[in-house]
Coordinates of all heavy atoms in Angstrom, one line a residue:
A1 N -69.4 1.2 -2.2 CA -70.8 1.6 -2.4 C -71.9 0.5 -1.9 O -72.9 0.9 -1.3 CB -71.0 1.9 -3.9
L2 N -71.5 -0.7 -2.2 CA -72.5 -1.8 -1.8 C -72.7 -1.8 -0.4 O -73.8 -2.1 0.2 CB -72.1 -3.1 -2.5 CG -73.0 -4.2 -2.2 CD1 -74.4 -4.1 -2.9 CD2 -72.4 -5.5 -2.8
A3 N -71.5 -1.7 0.4 CA -71.5 -1.7 1.8 C -72.6 -0.8 2.5 O -73.1 -1.0 3.5 CB -70.2 -1.6 2.5
S4 N -72.7 0.4 1.9 CA -73.6 1.5 2.4 C -74.9 1.5 1.7 O -75.8 2.3 2.1 CB -73.0 2.8 2.3 OG -72.7 3.2 0.9
F5 N -75.2 0.5 0.8 CA -76.5 0.5 0.1 C -77.5 -0.1 1.0 O -77.3 -1.3 1.6 CB -76.3 -0.4 -1.2 CG -77.5 -0.4 -2.1 CD1 -78.1 0.8 -2.5 CD2 -78.1 -1.6 -2.4 CE1 -79.3 0.7 -3.4 CE2 -79.2 -1.6 -3.3 CZ -79.8 -0.5 -3.7
P6 N -78.8 0.5 1.2 CA -79.7 0.0 2.2 C -80.2 -1.5 1.9 O -80.6 -2.2 2.9 CB -80.9 0.9 2.1 CG -80.2 2.2 1.5 CD -79.1 1.7 0.6
H7 N -80.2 -1.9 0.6 CA -80.8 -3.2 0.3 C -79.6 -4.2 -0.1 O -79.9 -5.0 -0.9 CB -81.6 -3.0 -1.0 CG -82.7 -2.0 -0.8 ND1 -83.8 -2.1 0.1 CD2 -82.8 -0.7 -1.3 CE1 -84.5 -1.0 0.1 NE2 -83.9 -0.1 -0.7
R8 N -78.4 -4.0 0.4 CA -77.3 -4.8 0.0 C -77.4 -6.3 0.3 O -76.9 -7.1 -0.5 CB -76.0 -4.2 0.8 CG -76.1 -4.4 2.3 CD -74.8 -3.8 3.0 NE -74.9 -3.8 4.5 CZ -75.6 -2.9 5.2 NH1 -76.2 -1.9 4.6 NH2 -75.6 -3.0 6.5
E9 N -78.2 -6.6 1.3 CA -78.5 -8.0 1.5 C -79.3 -8.7 0.4 O -79.3 -9.9 0.3 CB -79.2 -8.2 2.8 CG -78.3 -7.8 4.0 CD -77.0 -8.5 4.1 OE1 -76.9 -9.7 3.7 OE2 -76.0 -7.7 4.7
Q10 N -80.0 -7.9 -0.4 CA -80.7 -8.4 -1.5 C -80.1 -8.3 -2.9 O -80.7 -8.4 -3.9 CB -82.1 -7.7 -1.5 CG -82.9 -8.0 -0.2 CD -84.2 -7.1 -0.2 OE1 -84.1 -6.0 0.5 NE2 -85.3 -7.5 -0.8
V11 N -78.8 -8.0 -2.9 CA -78.1 -7.8 -4.1 C -77.2 -9.0 -4.2 O -76.3 -9.3 -3.4 CB -77.2 -6.5 -4.1 CG1 -76.4 -6.4 -5.4 CG2 -78.1 -5.3 -4.0
E12 N -77.4 -9.8 -5.4 CA -76.4 -10.9 -5.7 C -75.3 -10.3 -6.7 O -75.6 -9.7 -7.7 CB -77.3 -11.9 -6.4 CG -76.4 -13.2 -7.0 CD -77.1 -14.0 -7.9 OE1 -78.2 -13.7 -8.3 OE2 -76.5 -15.2 -8.1
V13 N -74.1 -10.7 -6.3 CA -73.0 -10.2 -7.2 C -72.4 -11.5 -7.8 O -72.0 -12.4 -7.2 CB -72.0 -9.5 -6.3 CG1 -70.7 -9.1 -7.3 CG2 -72.5 -8.2 -5.7
V14 N -72.3 -11.4 -9.1 CA -71.8 -12.5 -10.0 C -70.5 -12.0 -10.8 O -70.7 -11.0 -11.5 CB -72.7 -13.2 -10.9 CG1 -72.1 -14.2 -11.7 CG2 -73.9 -13.7 -10.1
H15 N -69.4 -12.7 -10.8 CA -68.2 -12.2 -11.4 C -68.1 -13.1 -12.8 O -68.2 -14.3 -12.7 CB -67.0 -12.4 -10.5 CG -67.0 -11.5 -9.4 ND1 -66.7 -10.2 -9.5 CD2 -67.3 -11.8 -8.1 CE1 -66.7 -9.6 -8.3 NE2 -67.1 -10.6 -7.4
R16 N -68.0 -12.3 -13.9 CA -67.9 -12.9 -15.2 C -66.4 -12.8 -15.7 O -65.7 -11.9 -15.3 CB -68.8 -12.1 -16.1 CG -70.3 -12.2 -15.6 CD -70.9 -13.6 -15.8 NE -72.4 -13.5 -15.6 CZ -73.1 -14.6 -15.5 NH1 -72.6 -15.8 -15.5 NH2 -74.4 -14.5 -15.4
S17 N -66.2 -13.7 -16.7 CA -64.8 -13.7 -17.3 C -64.6 -12.7 -18.4 O -65.5 -12.6 -19.3 CB -64.5 -15.1 -17.8 OG -64.5 -16.0 -16.6
F18 N -63.4 -12.2 -18.5 CA -63.0 -11.3 -19.6 C -61.5 -11.4 -19.6 O -60.9 -11.0 -18.6 CB -63.4 -9.9 -19.4 CG -63.3 -9.0 -20.6 CD1 -64.4 -8.6 -21.4 CD2 -62.1 -8.5 -20.9 CE1 -64.3 -7.8 -22.4 CE2 -61.9 -7.7 -22.1 CZ -63.1 -7.3 -22.8
E19 N -61.0 -11.8 -20.8 CA -59.5 -11.9 -20.9 C -59.0 -10.6 -21.6 O -59.5 -10.3 -22.8 CB -59.0 -13.1 -21.6 CG -59.3 -14.4 -20.9 CD -59.0 -15.5 -21.8 OE1 -59.9 -16.0 -22.6 OE2 -57.8 -16.0 -21.8
L20 N -58.1 -9.8 -21.1 CA -57.4 -8.7 -21.7 C -56.5 -9.1 -22.8 O -56.3 -8.4 -23.8 CB -56.8 -7.7 -20.8 CG -57.7 -7.0 -19.8 CD1 -56.9 -6.4 -18.8 CD2 -58.5 -6.0 -20.5
D21 N -55.9 -10.3 -22.7 CA -55.0 -10.9 -23.6 C -55.2 -12.3 -24.0 O -54.4 -13.1 -23.7 CB -53.5 -10.7 -23.0 CG -52.4 -10.5 -24.0 OD1 -52.6 -10.7 -25.2 OD2 -51.3 -10.2 -23.5
P22 N -56.3 -12.6 -24.6 CA -56.7 -14.0 -24.9 C -55.8 -14.7 -25.8 O -55.8 -16.0 -25.7 CB -58.1 -13.8 -25.4 CG -58.2 -12.4 -26.1 CD -57.3 -11.6 -25.2
G23 N -55.0 -14.0 -26.7 CA -54.2 -14.7 -27.6 C -52.8 -15.0 -27.0 O -52.1 -15.8 -27.6
R24 N -52.6 -14.7 -25.8 CA -51.3 -15.0 -25.1 C -51.2 -16.4 -24.8 O -52.2 -16.9 -24.1 CB -51.0 -14.1 -24.0 CG -49.7 -14.2 -23.3 CD -49.5 -13.3 -22.1 NE -49.3 -11.9 -22.6 CZ -48.3 -11.4 -23.0 NH1 -47.1 -12.0 -22.8 NH2 -48.3 -10.1 -23.4
S25 N -50.2 -17.1 -25.1 CA -50.0 -18.6 -24.7 C -49.7 -18.6 -23.2 O -49.3 -17.7 -22.5 CB -48.9 -19.2 -25.5 OG -47.7 -18.6 -25.2
K26 N -50.0 -19.8 -22.6 CA -49.8 -20.0 -21.2 C -48.3 -19.7 -20.7 O -48.1 -19.2 -19.6 CB -50.3 -21.4 -20.8 CG -50.3 -21.6 -19.2 CD -50.9 -22.9 -18.8 CE -50.8 -23.1 -17.3 NZ -51.4 -24.3 -16.8
G27 N -47.4 -20.2 -21.5 CA -46.0 -20.0 -21.1 C -45.5 -18.6 -21.4 O -44.3 -18.3 -21.1
D28 N -46.2 -17.7 -22.0 CA -45.7 -16.5 -22.5 C -45.9 -15.4 -21.3 O -46.9 -14.8 -21.1 CB -46.4 -15.9 -23.6 CG -45.8 -14.7 -24.2 OD1 -44.8 -14.2 -23.7 OD2 -46.4 -14.1 -25.2
I29 N -44.8 -15.3 -20.5 CA -44.9 -14.5 -19.2 C -43.7 -13.4 -19.4 O -42.7 -13.7 -19.8 CB -44.6 -15.2 -18.0 CG1 -45.7 -16.4 -17.9 CG2 -44.7 -14.4 -16.7 CD1 -45.4 -17.4 -16.9
Q30 N -44.1 -12.1 -19.0 CA -43.1 -11.1 -19.3 C -43.4 -10.1 -18.2 O -44.5 -10.0 -17.7 CB -43.1 -10.5 -20.6 CG -44.5 -9.9 -21.0 CD -44.4 -9.4 -22.5 OE1 -45.5 -9.1 -23.0 NE2 -43.3 -9.4 -23.2
P31 N -42.4 -9.2 -17.9 CA -42.7 -8.1 -16.9 C -43.7 -7.2 -17.5 O -43.8 -7.0 -18.7 CB -41.3 -7.4 -16.9 CG -40.3 -8.5 -17.3 CD -41.0 -9.3 -18.4
V32 N -44.5 -6.6 -16.5 CA -45.6 -5.7 -16.8 C -45.0 -4.5 -17.6 O -45.7 -4.1 -18.6 CB -46.3 -5.2 -15.5 CG1 -47.2 -4.1 -15.9 CG2 -47.2 -6.4 -15.0
I33 N -43.9 -4.0 -17.2 CA -43.4 -2.8 -17.9 C -43.0 -3.1 -19.4 O -43.3 -2.4 -20.3 CB -42.1 -2.2 -17.2 CG1 -42.6 -1.8 -15.8 CG2 -41.5 -1.2 -17.9 CD1 -43.5 -0.7 -15.7
T34 N -42.5 -4.4 -19.6 CA -42.2 -4.7 -21.0 C -43.5 -4.9 -21.8 O -43.5 -4.5 -22.9 CB -41.4 -6.1 -20.9 OG1 -40.2 -6.0 -20.2 CG2 -41.1 -6.5 -22.4
M35 N -44.4 -5.6 -21.2 CA -45.8 -5.7 -21.9 C -46.3 -4.4 -22.3 O -46.9 -4.2 -23.4 CB -46.7 -6.5 -20.9 CG -48.1 -6.7 -21.6 SD -49.3 -5.4 -21.3 CE -49.5 -5.4 -19.5
L36 N -46.3 -3.4 -21.4 CA -46.9 -2.1 -21.6 C -46.2 -1.3 -22.7 O -46.8 -0.7 -23.6 CB -46.9 -1.2 -20.4 CG -47.8 -1.7 -19.2 CD1 -47.5 -0.9 -17.9 CD2 -49.3 -1.6 -19.6
T37 N -44.8 -1.4 -22.7 CA -44.1 -0.7 -23.8 C -44.3 -1.2 -25.2 O -44.4 -0.7 -26.2 CB -42.6 -0.7 -23.5 OG1 -42.1 -2.1 -23.3 CG2 -42.3 0.0 -22.2
R38 N -44.4 -2.6 -25.3 CA -44.7 -3.3 -26.5 C -46.1 -3.2 -27.0 O -46.3 -2.9 -28.2 CB -44.3 -4.7 -26.4 CG -42.7 -5.0 -26.1 CD -42.5 -6.4 -26.0 NE -41.0 -6.7 -25.8 CZ -40.4 -7.9 -25.6 NH1 -41.2 -8.9 -25.6 NH2 -39.1 -8.0 -25.4
K39 N -47.0 -3.3 -26.0 CA -48.4 -3.3 -26.5 C -49.0 -1.8 -26.8 O -49.7 -1.7 -27.7 CB -49.3 -4.0 -25.4 CG -50.8 -4.0 -25.8 CD -51.5 -4.8 -24.7 CE -52.9 -5.1 -25.1 NZ -53.7 -6.0 -24.1
Y40 N -48.5 -0.9 -26.1 CA -49.0 0.5 -26.3 C -47.9 1.5 -26.8 O -48.3 2.6 -27.0 CB -49.5 1.0 -24.9 CG -50.6 0.2 -24.3 CD1 -50.3 -0.7 -23.2 CD2 -51.8 0.1 -24.8 CE1 -51.3 -1.4 -22.7 CE2 -52.8 -0.7 -24.4 CZ -52.6 -1.5 -23.3 OH -53.6 -2.3 -22.7
G41 N -46.8 1.0 -27.1 CA -45.8 1.8 -27.7 C -45.3 3.0 -26.8 O -44.8 4.0 -27.3
M42 N -45.4 2.8 -25.6 CA -44.9 3.9 -24.6 C -43.4 3.6 -24.2 O -43.0 2.4 -24.3 CB -45.8 4.0 -23.4 CG -45.9 2.7 -22.6 SD -47.1 2.9 -21.1 CE -48.6 3.2 -21.8
S43 N -42.9 4.6 -23.6 CA -41.5 4.4 -23.1 C -41.6 3.7 -21.8 O -42.6 3.7 -21.1 CB -40.8 5.8 -22.9 OG -41.5 6.5 -21.9
E44 N -40.4 3.2 -21.3 CA -40.4 2.6 -20.0 C -40.7 3.5 -18.9 O -41.4 3.2 -17.9 CB -38.9 1.9 -19.8 CG -38.8 0.7 -20.6 CD -37.5 -0.1 -20.0 OE1 -36.9 0.3 -19.0 OE2 -37.1 -1.0 -20.7
A45 N -40.3 4.8 -19.1 CA -40.6 5.8 -18.0 C -42.1 6.1 -18.0 O -42.7 6.2 -16.9 CB -39.9 7.2 -18.3
Q46 N -42.8 6.1 -19.1 CA -44.2 6.4 -19.2 C -44.9 5.1 -18.5 O -45.9 5.4 -17.8 CB -44.7 6.5 -20.6 CG -44.2 7.9 -21.2 CD -44.6 7.9 -22.8 OE1 -44.4 7.0 -23.5 NE2 -45.0 9.1 -23.1
A47 N -44.4 3.9 -18.9 CA -45.1 2.8 -18.3 C -44.9 2.7 -16.8 O -45.9 2.4 -16.0 CB -44.4 1.5 -18.9

């Protein structure tokens, strides 16, 4: 959308921080499918 906006050169874009899982420790790494099944209670097939 920005690429086709007539005033795109006058638009400043700033990226801000947001953590979806701020309580997770740095060393706690797991497969995405495992995370989804545990966090949302879905089956592996659904994930």
Side-chain angles (χ1 to χ4, degrees):
L2 184 61
S4 61
F5 185 57
H7 310 287
R8 60 186 177 277
E9 299 301 327
Q10 295 168 267
V11 178
E12 176 192 11
V13 178
V14 178
H15 295 279
R16 303 290 192 187
S17 299
F18 191 105
E19 294 173 274
L20 289 173
D21 205 352
R24 182 179 292 273
S25 65
K26 182 172 180 176
D28 184 5
I29 303 166
Q30 61 185 170
V32 166
I33 297 300
T34 301
M35 180 274 294
L36 292 172
T37 57
R38 293 178 179 177
K39 187 172 184 177
Y40 300 107
M42 59 179 63
S43 68
E44 287 192 10
Q46 290 172 321

